[in-house]
Amino acid sequence: MERLDSKQVYANAWMTVREDAIRRPDGSPGIYGVVDKPHYALVIPLDGERLMLVEQFRYPVGARRWEFPQGTAPDRADLDPAELAVRELREETGLTAGTMTLIGRLDVAPGLTSQGGSVYLATDLTEGAPDREATEQDMRAAWFPRAEFEAGIRDGSIVDAQSIAAYTQLLLHEHHSQ
């Protein structure tokens, strides 16, 4: 597929939207709408058999969601993923990790957005006060035993795709580390 032209049709502090004129392999023309967002970091805080999740209202779906701490740098800045992971963990949960291990990468929704993310495992945790951004003022954090987290996936109370995919990466990381 070849991009013939691209124009930005919308932008804010978190994302841009562009419309690309394309030519398909058979020569036929087309249009692609793409949401561009910066790379994000997702952190799995693990303390023994407990996982820390955060819950916040997610406007696009009109509901509160439990998920692993995750986010991007302000104003679409390009920040080193490891640095971003440390920052997101501290901001959203108040936790500081003695060990932060990269365990995988994820694409958010490759048919819609260019955004990808890095998944980190945070261990050797020290608790502190969160330092949330204004957009996170309704956020809360809580520890979940693994069995409760897995039950939440099964019963549909935990549905964040990035968190579920990251947990699969954690399971594979643990399986291959044994």
Side-chain angles (χ1 to χ4, degrees), residues 33-143:
V34 180
V35 177
D36 287 315
K37 292 185 80 170
H39 195 83
Y40 73 97
L42 180 148
V43 183
I44 302 173
L46 179 64
D47 180 36
E49 285 298 303
R50 300 184 313 161
L51 303 161
M52 182 170 280
L53 280 79
V54 294
E55 185 203 47
Q56 63 186 314
F57 183 77
R58 290 301 196 176
Y59 182 83
V61 296
R64 296 188 69 78
R65 294 288 187 251
W66 283 104
E67 57 198 41
F68 288 122
Q70 57 192 290
T72 62
D75 299 317
R76 299 191 315 261
D78 188 21
L79 194 61
D80 175 70
E83 222 178 294
L84 185 57
V86 169
R87 175 190 167 128
E88 288 298 318
L89 180 64
R90 183 188 47 77
E91 279 183 2
E92 295 187 3
T93 68
L95 295 172
T96 303
T99 305
M100 189 77 80
T101 307
L102 177 66
I103 62 170
R105 300 195 188 285
L106 297 170
D107 283 339
V108 173
L112 170 70
T113 180
S114 62
Q115 187 179 39
S118 297
V119 178
Y120 289 87
L121 172 61
T123 54
D124 305 317
L125 301 167
T126 303
E127 295 199 29
D131 184 22
R132 298 184 179 125
E133 298 172 5
T135 57
E136 299 167 332
Q137 60 188 281
D138 72 327
M139 183 179 281
R140 64 186 181 120
W143 288 105

